[in-house]
């Protein structure tokens, strides 16, 4: 079958289309990326502004058209922290559906962590032993630890690079040392409260990072490009990261965007991302992170592929979390008459955990 996953994040809407065949890895057919910049358009009350809503509608419309032209059998459109946590989330989602016919779904942060862990486990295999996962997004950071296919611990923390930039580093560079220290102290305090259960577990055999933030930090610190060859070794050392943080603090967004691996769209939040990355490595006692090319979207592909291989309908990839409804199975909808799409709906009257 041909599956499309539309992942709407803080900065962009990413569509990945892949062919799924039991016994084989997902085969990428096409990808489409559109800038939505939801995080920067969110005010201090958590309301996403009109221009960003218009960009989101255009991006979803483009993704639906691309899916139709590619002959997609199912489309899973989901929004992560930037829209999930917005004060006007339901109004925005309703407007997107009215304009495009696509009903956006929402995963909790913990569910994101579980799907991403599934992708990482499949990438590295059982020889990786106990795995530690860290993923820094725009609005949240996910952590997971486990010895099996599913993590024993899955956490989502409000430590996204975009969120921390807006709340703690809102002014233009240079960023003074006291502000960097204050942000790091905040990050460490959140981690100290949230991660004792991970710290008490046996040390991971492999510590892994996913996300654009970690990938760009690894490139900044000297790792090779892996887009054309995802099997190349890519890692991030804490020692290298410590050396870059004061340098990034002195540079403007334009100067940061000229650095190795740093995209202009993420230059404004790369300092906060570096501080979070170094802090989580320090708190969890990790000196090196391997950067995995598979993450959330691949986890969704793999979940659907497992259902195909087992001959069962697509369903929620995890057990229901206490007080939070598990994500239902995709339900067919038709943004246009050319293709059947599927959605991951959010149950009416419930609120997902961030």
């Amino acid at each position: 079958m041909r599956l499309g996953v539309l992942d709407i994040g803080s900065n962009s809407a990413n569509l990945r289309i892949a062919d799924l065949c039991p016994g084989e890895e997902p085969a990428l057919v096409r990808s489409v990326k559109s800038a939505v910049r939801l995080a920067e358009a969110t005010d201090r009350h958590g309301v996403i502004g009109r221009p960003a809503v218009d960009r989101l509608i255009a991006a979803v419309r483009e993704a639906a058209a691309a899916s139709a032209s590619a002959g997609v059998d199912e489309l899973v459109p989901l929004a992560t922290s930037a829209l999930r946590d917005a004060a006007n989330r339901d109004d925005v989602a309703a407007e997107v559906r009215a304009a495009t016919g696509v009903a956006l779904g929402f995963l909790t942060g913990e569910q994101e962590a579980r799907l991403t862990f599934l992708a990482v486990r499949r990438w590295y295999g059982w020889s990786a032993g106990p795995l530690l996962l860290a993923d820094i997004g725009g609005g949240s950071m996910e952590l997971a630890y486990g010895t099996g296919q599913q993590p024993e611990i899955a956490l989502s923390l409000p430590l996204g690079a975009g969120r921390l930039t807006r709340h703690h580093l809102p002014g233009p560079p240079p960023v003074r040392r006291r502000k960097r220290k204050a942000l790091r102290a905040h990050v460490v305090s959140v981690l100290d409260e949230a991660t004792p259960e991970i710290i008490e577990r046996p040390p991971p055999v492999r510590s892994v990072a996913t996300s654009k933030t970690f990938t760009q930090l690894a490139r900044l610190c000297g790792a090779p490009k892996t887009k054309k060859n995802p099997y190349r070794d890519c890692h991030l050392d804490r020692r290298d990261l410590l050396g870059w943080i004061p340098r990034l603090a002195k540079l403007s967004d334009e100067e940061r965007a000229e650095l190795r691996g740093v995209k202009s769209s993420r230059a404004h939040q790369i300092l906060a991302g570096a501080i979070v990355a170094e802090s989580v490595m320090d708190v969890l006692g990790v000196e090196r992170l391997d950067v995995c090319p598979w993450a959330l979207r691949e986890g969704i592909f793999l979940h659907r592929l497992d259902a195909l291989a087992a001959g069962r309908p697509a369903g929620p990839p995890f057990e229901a979390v206490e007080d939070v409804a598990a994500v239902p199975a995709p339900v067919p909808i038709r943004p246009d008459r050319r293709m059947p799409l599927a959605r991951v709906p959010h149950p009416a009257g419930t609120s997902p955990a961030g």
Side-chain angles (χ1 to χ4, degrees):
M1 72 170 298
R2 181 163 289 185
L3 181 68
V5 176
L6 176 60
D7 175 11
I8 298 168
S10 298
N11 294 308
S12 60
N14 283 279
L15 171 69
R16 295 278 180 89
I17 298 172
D19 286 335
L20 306 183
C21 180
E24 299 181 13
E25 69 177 81
L28 183 64
V29 173
R30 185 179 179 187
S31 61
V32 178
K33 183 176 180 179
S34 304
V36 292
R37 304 196 303 278
L38 299 182
E40 70 179 52
T42 302
D43 66 21
R44 62 190 182 91
H45 301 293
V47 175
I48 298 174
R50 182 74 251 167
V53 175
D54 291 339
R55 289 192 294 269
L56 175 59
I57 290 172
V60 173
R61 187 177 287 125
E62 180 183 12
S67 297
S69 66
V72 162
D73 297 304
E74 292 179 1
L75 175 66
V76 180
L78 61 93
T80 54
S81 177
L83 181 55
R84 181 182 67 225
D85 299 337
N88 59 337
R89 177 195 70 191
D90 294 340
D91 291 339
V92 173
E95 189 169 347
V96 169
R97 181 165 191 173
T100 68
V102 176
L104 301 180
F106 299 91
L107 295 175
T108 67
E110 179 181 334
Q111 290 166 339
E112 287 183 37
R114 291 182 177 277
L115 281 168
T116 305
F117 186 92
L118 171 64
V120 170
R121 170 60 76 189
R122 293 289 181 84
W123 181 265
Y124 289 108
W126 295 112
S127 64
L131 271 175
L132 173 66
L133 164 71
D135 183 302
I136 300 174
S140 62
M141 177 175 70
E142 278 65 56
L143 297 174
Y145 172 93
T147 59
Q149 181 166 264
Q150 293 293 331
E152 297 151 29
I153 303 167
L155 307 172
S156 182
L157 306 174
L159 297 177
R163 182 195 298 264
L164 294 178
T165 299
R166 293 194 305 277
H167 293 171
H168 295 267
L169 305 175
V175 179
R176 297 189 180 278
R177 187 168 180 267
R178 62 179 179 81
K179 283 193 173 183
R180 304 199 307 270
K181 288 183 65 177
L183 174 55
R184 190 181 190 280
H186 168 71
V187 173
V188 169
S189 69
V190 173
L191 291 170
D192 283 344
E193 183 175 349
T195 59
E197 192 177 359
I198 293 178
I199 294 171
E200 292 168 1
R201 297 297 175 103
V205 171
R206 188 182 290 267
S207 299
V208 180
T210 63
S211 77
K212 290 291 186 183
T213 296
F214 274 118
T215 300
Q216 293 188 16
L217 289 172
R219 288 279 294 131
L220 179 66
C221 292
K225 287 184 178 181
T226 57
K227 188 172 184 179
K228 293 184 179 180
N229 182 5
Y231 304 105
R232 297 181 71 178
D233 177 54
C234 182
H235 61 261
L236 175 64
D237 288 327
R238 178 170 171 259
R239 180 182 59 185
D240 296 333
L241 198 51
L242 279 169
W244 269 105
I245 289 174
R247 297 169 66 182
L248 289 170
K250 296 177 182 178
L251 301 178
S252 66
D253 291 350
E254 293 74 18
E255 290 170 325
R256 292 174 185 173
E258 294 177 358
L259 297 172
R260 171 190 173 108
V262 179
K263 302 293 185 183
S264 59
S265 61
R266 296 174 181 270
H268 68 290
Q269 63 186 47
I270 195 68
L271 174 60
I275 291 172
V276 176
E278 186 279 323
S279 299
V280 74
M281 293 174 79
D282 184 30
V283 170
L284 297 180
V286 175
E287 290 301 317
R288 170 173 287 190
L289 288 167
D290 293 324
V291 181
C292 180
W294 278 8
L296 175 61
R297 289 183 290 273
E298 287 76 18
I300 295 171
F301 285 135
L302 292 167
H303 163 62
R304 189 66 184 91
L305 188 54
D306 287 348
L308 280 175
R312 65 175 187 266
F318 12 63
E319 297 299 321
V321 181
E322 185 178 355
D323 297 328
V324 179
V327 179
V331 177
I333 61 173
R334 293 180 182 272
D336 60 49
R337 296 186 180 277
R338 291 172 294 175
M339 70 166 182
L341 300 182
R343 63 185 176 103
V344 183
H346 177 63
T350 62
S351 176

